Each structure stands twice: as C-alpha cells, then as structure tokens.
Amino acid sequence: MFTLQEKENLQAAAFRVTNGLTRVAFNGLRKFTRDRMNLDSEYVADKTLARSSELAFQIYDCCVQSCICFTGEFEDVMICPICEEPRYDQRKKARNRFRYIPIIPRLQAMFKDPNIIDLLLHRVRRESDPNIIEDVLDGGVIWRLLDSNVEIDGDKQQYRYGEFETDIFLAFTCDGVSVHKGLGARRSKMQYSCFPMEIIILNLSPTIRTQDRYVFSLGVVPGPREPKHLNSFCWPLYQECPRGIAGVRTYHTIRRQFFTLHVYLIHLFGDFIAMTKALGTLGVGAIKPCHSCHIEAICDTQAKRKTYYLPLTIPGHAENRLQELLNNPRTHRDYLETYNRIVIAATEADRKRIRKETGIKHPSIFALLPYFDMGRAVPNGFMHAVYINLFKALVKLWRGEFKGLDAGTGNYIIPAPIWERIGIETRNAVRTIPAIFVRSMPNIDTDFGNFTAEDLAFWMTWLAPYVLAGCLPEPYYSHLLKLVNIVKICTGFSMTKQEHANLSVNIYQWRLEYEK
C-alpha cells in the first residue's frame, strides 16, 4: 500500500514522463501545486515509481570512449582492450557507465492492463492469407519457429514456439544518433554521439508497434563514440533471453491468475553498421564486407589509397556474379562454423587470417540462442541501402557528380539549367501536398546535401517519375520507372507470394541493367 504522498508522487512522475516535462518545468509544477499537493523532488518521485513498478536500472561500467561494456568476457578487464583507456579513475570509480533497463519486468507489467492485453492478442487473432505477405508475422523466420518445439539446454520441450497466445516475439533495434549536429542535422563532424538500443514488440499490430509508447528502450550507449563491441552492451539483454525461453511467472489481470510468460527475441533490425556490430562482421572496407552473402571485394590498384570495392562483374571477366551470390547466401551454419574456428584458433595470427578470409571478426552472443537464425534473422536495412545509398547515388550520377566520373559512352547527365527547373518544380509540388505524406523539402538543385532519407524516398518514388519525364533520356528513364515499381511493391502494405517471386527476378534484372 502507498501513502497519500507516495500516490501523489506517482501521479506527478507519470505526468512528467507522459508529457516530457523538463526538470525545470517539473519543479515549477511542484511550486504551483504546493498548496494542494506535497510533491517531492524529481529524484524521490522516480525512486517511488521504480519501487512501485519493480523496475530499476542495471548499471554497468563501460569504456570512457564507449568502445566496450565491461560485461561477459570483459567483466574483469581493467583496461579497454581497444583504446587502452583505464576502466577506473584515480578514485577507483568507473569513468563511464551504461544503464540498462530490463525488458521482462515491463512485458510482465503489460498483462496488468486489459487494453494492452487485447493489443497483444493481434498475433493470434489476425486472419492471414497464405498467399499474401503483409507483416513480419508472415515471414519465414517466425513460421519456421511456429513449427518447431522449444529447446532449452539442448532438450526439446513438449510445446512449440508461439503455441500459447501469451507468447511474445521481439525484435532488437539500434542505431547511432548525433545530438550535436545542429540545424539541418549535418553540421557536426562527429558521426555518432550516442547509440540508443530499443525493443519492438512484434505481437502488436504494425500500425502501432513502432509508436513511441509501445517501443521499449533498453538504454543508450553514452558515447562520445559508437561502440566497437556492441555485443558487450547487449550482454544484459542476452542474459534475459534464457529466462524468456524457460518462462516467467506472470499475473494475468483478465484471467485473474498466474501463467508462464514466454519471450523470444527473433529479429535484429538496424542500419548496416549496427548490424555488422551485432553479428561480429567486419563490414565496409573488408574483403568480405557483406553479412548476407559471400561476395569478395577487389582492390582498386589505381587508387592512391588501398581501396576495396564490389563490382558484380570483375574487370576482365565476362560473367556476372550476381546469380551465384544470390544462390549462395551466408547461412546460420556458416556463422557457427566461423565462430568456432575463431574461438579454437591457437594464435592471434590465425584469428586474423580467419577474419580476413571470412569477414567475421568475433562471435555474436545472439548465436547462443537456440532458436536464433544468424543467416535470416538480420535483414538488410531498406532505408539505408535504398533511400540513402542507392537513391543518392542515382541523383549524383544524373548530376555528373558521382565520384568524379563522367557519363562515358552514356548520355544520362541532366544539364544544370534543367536541374534548376526540376528544383523549382519540386518545391512547388511539395507546397500543395498534405504534411501527412511529406514535410517541407529542400530544393534538390541547390540544397541536395540536406536531403534526408524521407526526402529522397518521397522525391524518387512519387515526384521523380513526373519531374524527370522528358529530362532523363531513354533507356535511363525506363530504368528509373522499373526501380520505382520495385520500391512501391517493397514498401506497400502487402504483397502476394507471386509478387514476391517476381520481385526477386525484377531486382536481379534491374541490377544487371544498372551494372551496364
């Protein structure tokens, strides 16, 4: 039971969190209501909230540069093995700390709210068409699990993954954020200043599962730089996963009885950099940089610096490698075999050789989960791969600004006067489009550097087919329309199995034409 003052503190803390009040605003609220409510400080209110919800931070020491978190294999390390900065200061206090918020207590708390329970039943109530893909719940990863018995410490259980309507499937996501970039979000030279880590509940409807109130933060890697060993920061999450597999005793407020809550982390989402860190791969610049396939980069011998790049057709070779790569993706077995080779390697020289030939530098803790598929559970980020990288490269090609290359024997470069007109047409078009579809967009001619992923996605998908008509010569304009059609299918609310099959062929053909 709570006293009247504790109840008022809980109400005030909930009001502060819900409305995003700053500390100054909260103190102002305390002064304004002091004749009617006896509110304690923000610190006391938070402590009362933590005690009532049985939810508290888990605090871990981390590198002063955020290279690693001193957990797992680094728990007893006193010096960061990457930057060689000491763990403690002269007073024997940690120089930097990572605060982790456990996920299981929050999932248990959801079953105390009848409305939330109803939302969590979306997974079992939805009517799915076997010929239509409209959600991650229709994907191959989860369907494989639904047909498999749960495995705990190598022992098969009598029940399957997702067999109970209360079972919860999760996805982990993280990305680097710079809070110092200022106006236009591009003024800071530092790429990342913090690294948020979040959980998405896949049981919820896709219309709400990514809303702020339903996305659970696990913590923020404090910075000032991006983590070099993301797995060490994910260690507390991994420690919760076996509990989720075995089941946690939870109270169901509608049934008015306890039940066993099972929780499964089945997907990782993020940009390419975050996913390479989670999987333990080398990423960009390596001879084998991709975490999805075995493509090998070749060295540009004419460059001033040693640079590796990824042509689908190797100079001097007639055959394209794309079909071979698509038919031989990295699999879960590939990852496990490489992880094992790294672990049992006798010397550091052997480990370096394995890293170079495989593109994998260290094991991922997620591979320790009995149900997690390293080859399929970590998809590529569509936003970064298509909206940012591909779309931006195409615009630079059409402007004649792509890495100093000219058009060669082609004629795809659009003259500057026409780009000026396109920029004006883009600005005029956006003024009459409702803000729910797109916000105010920079001039693509004079301010292309400030285009965000959202700007590029809307411009290329919905404006480019019209503003580039008659400006971009054939066959390049028809090639653009094929890409737009592919993107619309990928980003639609649903697609049929036949569209999915055709999509693979269409992307393959489009990529071959792009290579030409």
Side-chain angles (χ1 to χ4, degrees), residues 3 28 32 41 46 188 218 229 249 257 268 275 292 317 361 381 445 486 498 511-512:
T3 66
F32 182 74
S41 66
D46 286 345
S188 174
L218 297 176
H229 197 286
R249 190 169 185 263
Q257 63 183 18
L268 303 183
M275 293 304 97
S292 299
H317 292 67
K361 59 182 177 180
D445 177 44
I486 290 171
Q498 186 60 48
R511 190 63 179 85
L512 288 181

Side-chain angles (χ1 to χ4, degrees), residues 65-69 82 192 194-195 197 221 223 225-233 273 277:
Q65 300 291 346
S66 291
C67 300
I68 67 168
C69 186
I82 297 175
Y192 300 135
C194 62
F195 217 81
M197 300 162 52
V221 179
R225 298 178 182 175
E226 63 183 79
K228 302 298 182 184
H229 197 286
L230 182 61
N231 278 213
S232 62
F233 290 93
I273 294 177
K277 292 178 183 296

